Every structure is written in structure tokens, then in C-alpha cells.
Amino acid sequence: MAVNDGAFKGLSVLIPAHDEADWLPACLDALCASEPVAGPVEVIVVANGCSDNTAELARGETSAFEARGWSLRVLELAKGGKLGAWNAGEAAALGNVLVYLDADVLVSPPLLAQLAEALAGGAPRYASGVPQVTTSGNWVTRHYTRFWQTTGFMTHGVPGFGVFAMNRAGRARWCVWPDIISDDTFARLNFRPEERISVPATYAWPMIEGFAPLVRVRRRQDVGVAEVEQLFPHLMRNDDLHDQMRPFWRRALADPLGALVFVAVRLTIHAPVLRSANRWVRGR
């Protein structure tokens, strides 16, 4: 991992992008519409293993960022892989604050400034905003999402999926990113609950649409969390305690249809159907 030499005291936004031509322009437009951030800002798009025009589209946004005094760089890697993209982006990044952003996420205007402020100190810190999970109308996804948002993962702590950030002191806790599935879980659990900061600004994160894609992707996420637990058991002590959450039966009474769909997805995850040999399977 590259170490900031102190010349650049700002914020670096890292965006891994593998065939993200349909999503990346909107992501960059939302970034460019952000409120002012104290200090310089650089955006680094890491186009990894792309077979579409992701890199070209990203470069087309350069002038818009330059017009507001920010820089936009595009790195192209021949090999796909999110963890490799994180490593390459960090090697090029200069900021004291590192923001890790998925290419299908839309940040709200105040988010970057709030992350920069929350992570300005010298103590190791991690931060994220408030996720607003979006759906495009599929009824299974809509009901699943509504109930999923009542789980302890969503109601306690700082979930950090889709976008998370840390300062250099926090990032120094490990060397290169390991070859794992759940990068967001690994990053979050490298910080104790009191070191994780939730800022009030929101971001839009799209939920996978349809029953089969939901099963595949949620299974992959379960496998990713289990992988972190197996490889880095010491990190699990940093997980959030969910003993104050509402019991399942109360949530099910309040939303029986959502509970039914949620349980159906969860049961199918553990069944020998809809499995994929690709550990990086995506639902879109």
C-alpha cells in the first residue's frame, strides 16, 4: 500500500469498475455534484478487466471534475477483480482520507464532506453514510428489501456496504487487501464499534432484482462473511451486538408478507439450487 508523504492533505475516492458502463456515469455525476470538501479531492476509477467502454466513459468526465478543481484519473487493469482494484487504486492514491465507492452507488451531495470531517483526526477511524436501498419494482425484491432493513445488520452500527471510508491511520491496520469475497465486512471489522462513525448523509444503493439473483448474491454474501470469520477470527470480536433489536416474530407480525419472502430467500440460500461455480457471481 502506498503511504501518503504529506504533500496531499485531501481526500481520495477509489472506484473499482468492471464492465460498469451502465452505472458509472451516474455515479460520477453524483460525485461531481458533491458539496465542497475541505482540501483537495481526487477521484480514481480503476477499470479492471473491462470488455466494455467503462474507461472511456470515465475519462469523458474528466473536464467536469477539473472545472470544480478536483482531479479524475483512470487506471486500467487487464485482470478483473475488486480486491486487485482496491490495491491498485490505493497505490496511486495520495489522500489522507480514502473513500471506497462502488460504481453503482449514488452519493448524496453532503456525504463526501461529512466523511472527510469525521475522519480528519489522527486516531484510526472508519465511517460511512446512511444507506437508502433502492429497488426498481420487482415485487420479490421490494418485499425482501423492506424486511431485510429491519435486521440487526441494518438497524445497528455502521453497515458500510456500497461506500465506506477510513483515514490513513486506520488503513495502516493491514497491508494489501486479501483475496476475499466480502471486502466491506473485512474493512468494517478491522475497527472496533466505537471507532466506526455513521454520518447523517445518505447514499443510494440498488438492491439486486428478482428471486434467483437475490438468492445467488445473498448466498455469496453469506459465504463471504463466513470466509472472513474463518480466515480472520480475531476480527469477529469487533462485530456489532444486536441484542437490542426487535425479535423476529415481532417484525414478522408487523410485516408478514415481507417476512415470508425473506424466509423463502433465506431457506433457498441453504438449498442445493441456484448455485454458481463463480464465487464473484453478481445479480446484474
Side-chain angles (χ1 to χ4, degrees):
M1 183 188 70
V3 177
N4 188 337
D5 63 5
F8 185 100
K9 295 294 186 182
L11 178 146
S12 298
V13 182
L14 310 179
I15 307 175
H18 172 72
D19 289 345
E20 297 285 4
D22 291 339
W23 297 84
L24 184 61
C27 173
L28 292 175
D29 288 345
L31 267 181
C32 202
S34 295
E35 294 176 1
V37 176
V41 174
E42 63 174 2
V43 177
I44 302 174
V45 175
V46 186
N48 58 98
C50 292
S51 60
D52 64 6
N53 62 337
T54 291
E56 179 184 352
L57 289 173
R59 291 191 181 95
E61 301 279 347
T62 302
S63 59
F65 283 87
E66 289 177 346
R68 62 167 302 164
W70 294 4
S71 69
L72 170 64
R73 287 184 282 161
V74 180
L75 307 180
E76 292 192 67
L77 305 182
K79 184 178 179 181
K82 190 174 184 181
L83 284 306
W86 285 148
N87 288 324
E90 287 178 343
L94 299 172
N96 285 340
V97 171
L98 301 171
V99 178
Y100 301 80
L101 177 65
D102 286 353
D104 57 357
V105 167
L106 305 179
V107 301
S108 64
L111 182 59
L112 286 189
Q114 290 183 12
L115 292 175
E117 182 178 1
L119 299 172
R125 291 291 182 269
Y126 166 104
S128 185
V130 178
Q132 294 189 332
V133 183
T134 63
T135 67
S136 64
N138 178 274
W139 76 270
V140 170
T141 297
R142 185 172 69 252
H143 292 305
Y144 176 91
T145 299
R146 187 177 62 248
F147 196 83
W148 178 63
Q149 291 183 104
T150 70
T151 62
F153 174 70
M154 291 294 290
T155 60
H156 290 67
V158 189
F161 56 87
V163 56
F164 56 87
M166 63 192 80
N167 55 19
R168 288 281 177 172
R171 180 57 187 87
R173 289 188 167 171
W174 70 95
C175 190
V176 298
W177 287 86
D179 182 20
I180 55 174
I181 294 173
S182 190
D183 56 305
D184 52 351
T185 300
F186 175 80
R188 177 171 53 87
L189 294 182
N190 266 280
F191 298 84
R192 299 187 302 276
E194 64 270 20
E195 295 176 320
R196 301 195 289 260
I197 302 167
S198 178
V199 302
T202 62
Y203 61 94
W205 183 86
M207 177 62 83
I208 299 303
E209 298 289 338
F211 184 82
L214 265 174
V215 169
R216 292 190 184 98
V217 172
R218 306 312 286 186
R219 178 186 287 134
R220 171 183 175 272
Q221 291 169 339
D222 283 2
V223 170
V225 173
E227 182 182 50
V228 171
E229 184 172 5
Q230 178 184 4
L231 297 176
F232 309 98
H234 62 285
L235 295 182
M236 303 312 296
R237 64 173 179 261
N238 291 333
D239 204 359
D240 293 297
L241 298 176
H242 298 147
D243 55 345
Q244 300 300 314
M245 67 176 289
R246 294 170 63 202
F248 178 88
W249 68 268
R250 286 188 180 275
R251 293 182 285 130
L253 284 177
D255 184 6
L257 184 54
L260 180 64
V261 174
F262 182 84
V263 169
V265 171
R266 297 302 309 172
L267 289 176
T268 309
I269 285 173
H270 298 290
V273 295
L274 300 177
R275 293 189 178 273
S276 172
N278 180 7
R279 72 196 290 256
W280 303 106
V281 64
R282 302 166 73 190
R284 57 170 175 78

